[in-house]
């Protein structure tokens, strides 16, 4: 099925818009998630530094019941889970669960990094609270000794809810931008293809013989140059055909005024041109387009034509045509592979 240039152009723009929209959504969602997690990691790190002084004294004095009560009360107020782990990985305080019911944390990635003196960070599923969480852990140090690890964490469901809201806003924005882009592409494709359609319509009129066809474009680009060239071409063609028509009419008048009979035969023997004198002599008004032997049934005439066609030279012979004597002169027109016959009564 043939597709118009407008459909192809609009389809190309539509494909580009869809691809860009998908890429924008994918990378924006990913970038926002990474940025937000990084920002929250920084906030949790600052929270750890803020709590470090208070928690360090409790850990150093091994006042673990008081420490557990402290983190539980604080965790409710700041809506952040707080966990304190000793160097062996045993949980000594947790704001969400009873530390005695919790397994050792010495193999957790953020705890390992914190015990190495670094800031540990991880996002994973918590087997304790059965939810995905963001963890940040810092070492608890006193006089150069690592007393344990302070870990704070946030539920990813809260982060995800916020991200989903942001993503929904981005999705709406992308949809609106895509619709506007599609409308712009629609207008641009129409403006691009309309002049071409005008050129096609004008060229069809010229092909049908209407040399008055013109295209007028109110633009300043290559299409306008093409339109101007088309108009110049049609003007030239109109002049050429007018001149040819004039010459043809003049030639027909000359041929009609010749008293002698005139026939022009092509290489197949078809009469392609005749004048009024020969038509009167043949007593037929319709000879053009017929084979000469259909209208002149004289063996001598056929022999004359065959001799001229074979020898490529002019010949003269006296013949009887329709009961009248004619002096027939036949000459080859080699450049056009035709034979001209003049018949003198």
């Amino acid at each position: 099925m043939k597709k118009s240039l407008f459909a192809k152009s609009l389809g190309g723009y539509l494909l580009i818009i869809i691809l860009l929209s998908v890429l924008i959504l994918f990378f924006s969602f990913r970038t926002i998630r990474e940025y937000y997690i990084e920002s929250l990691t920084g906030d949790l790190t600052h929270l750890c530094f803020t709590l470090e002084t208070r928690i360090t004294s409790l850990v150093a004095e091994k006042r673990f019941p008081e420490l557990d009560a402290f983190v539980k009360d604080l965790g409710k107020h700041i809506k952040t889970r707080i966990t304190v782990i000793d160097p062996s990985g045993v949980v000594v305080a947790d704001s969400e669960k009873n530390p005695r019911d919790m397994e050792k944390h010495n193999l957790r990635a953020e705890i390992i990094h914190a015990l190495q003196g670094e800031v540990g960070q991880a996002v994973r599923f918590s087997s304790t609270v059965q939810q995905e969480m963001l963890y940040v852990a810092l070492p608890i140090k006193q006089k150069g000794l690592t007393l344990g690890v302070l870990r704070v964490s946030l539920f990813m469901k809260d982060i995800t809810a916020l991200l989903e809201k942001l993503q929904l806003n981005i999705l709406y924005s992308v949809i609106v931008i895509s619709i506007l882009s599609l409308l712009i592409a629609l207008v641009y494709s129409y403006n691009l293809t309309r002049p071409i359609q005008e050129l096609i319509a004008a060229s069809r009129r010229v092909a049908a013989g209407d040399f008055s066809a013109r295209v007028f474009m109110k633009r300043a680009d290559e299409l306008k140059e093409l339109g101007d060239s088309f108009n110049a071409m049609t003007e030239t063609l109109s002049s050429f055909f007018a001149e040819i028509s004039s010459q043809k009419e003049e030639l027909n008048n000359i041929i009609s005024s010749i008293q002698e009979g005139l026939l022009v035969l092509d290489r197949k023997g078809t009469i392609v041109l005749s004048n009024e004198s020969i038509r009167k002599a043949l007593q037929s008004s319709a000879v053009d387009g017929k084979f000469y032997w259909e209208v002149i049934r004289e063996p001598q005439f056929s022999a004359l034509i065959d001799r001229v066609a074979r020898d490529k030279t002019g010949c003269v012979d006296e013949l009887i045509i329709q009961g009248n004597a004619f002096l027939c002169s036949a000459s080859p027109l080699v450049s056009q592979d035709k034979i001209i016959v003049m018949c003198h009564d």
Side-chain angles (χ1 to χ4, degrees), residues 81-296:
R81 187 181 180 189
I82 305 171
T83 307
V84 181
I85 304 101
D86 69 10
S88 65
V90 176
V91 179
V92 296
D94 188 82
S95 61
E96 297 289 334
K97 297 290 183 178
N98 187 343
R100 296 178 182 178
D101 298 333
M102 298 175 65
E103 61 185 11
K104 294 183 69 173
H105 283 38
N106 57 311
L107 298 180
R108 308 294 167 87
E110 71 277 5
I111 305 301
I112 293 173
H113 283 93
L115 290 173
Q116 293 174 352
E118 304 173 0
V119 177
Q121 185 264 335
V123 177
R124 68 166 188 279
F125 185 82
S126 172
S127 58
T128 304
V129 296
Q130 297 297 306
Q131 292 188 47
E132 189 179 26
M133 302 193 72
L134 169 64
Y135 297 100
V136 174
L138 266 73
I140 302 173
K141 291 185 177 183
Q142 189 177 58
K143 297 179 182 181
L145 296 176
T146 301
L147 303 179
V149 175
L150 169 60
R151 187 185 70 179
V152 293
S153 55
L154 289 174
F155 291 103
M156 286 298 294
K157 66 177 182 179
D158 299 330
I159 301 173
T160 303
L162 179 59
L163 288 175
E164 287 177 352
K165 185 176 180 181
L166 290 173
Q167 290 171 355
L168 191 61
N169 291 333
I170 294 174
L171 179 60
Y172 289 150
S173 300
V174 169
I175 291 174
V176 171
I177 293 173
S178 298
I179 293 174
L180 291 176
S181 300
L182 181 59
L183 291 175
I184 293 173
L186 182 65
V187 173
Y188 181 79
S189 298
Y190 174 76
N191 290 334
L192 178 65
T193 56
R194 184 172 56 86
I196 298 176
Q197 292 173 349
E198 291 179 2
L199 280 169
I200 293 173
S203 63
R204 288 174 177 170
R205 290 174 58 189
V206 172
D210 181 10
F211 296 104
S212 65
R214 298 290 185 273
V215 290
F216 302 97
M217 299 184 183
K218 298 179 180 179
R219 49 198 303 154
D221 55 15
E222 289 82 357
L223 285 175
K224 186 178 187 307
E225 293 181 5
L226 180 60
D228 293 341
S229 298
F230 177 85
N231 293 336
M233 179 190 70
T234 54
E235 289 178 3
T236 303
L237 287 175
S238 179
S239 299
F240 283 160
F241 274 87
E243 183 179 354
I244 291 172
S245 297
S246 176
Q247 291 176 354
K248 183 177 180 181
E249 184 178 357
E250 183 179 354
L251 178 62
N252 289 333
N253 291 333
I254 293 173
I255 291 174
S256 298
S257 65
I258 296 176
Q259 297 301 317
E260 290 80 5
L262 172 67
L263 287 175
V264 179
L265 312 177
D266 65 10
R267 62 185 181 87
K268 294 181 179 179
T270 304
I271 300 173
V272 295
L273 183 65
S274 64
N275 66 351
E276 184 64 24
S277 298
I278 194 66
R279 289 194 289 271
K280 288 181 179 179
L282 297 175
Q283 300 176 3
S284 175
S285 60
V287 298
D288 291 355
K290 294 182 178 180
F291 293 107
Y292 70 85
W293 56 81
E294 293 181 290
V295 294
I296 302 177

Side-chain angles (χ1 to χ4, degrees), residues 49-66:
F49 286 127
T50 304
L51 299 175
E52 185 179 11
T53 303
R54 173 62 176 163
I55 291 177
T56 299
S57 62
L58 294 174
V59 172
E61 297 171 8
K62 296 186 179 181
R63 294 154 58 185
F64 298 138
E66 185 178 346

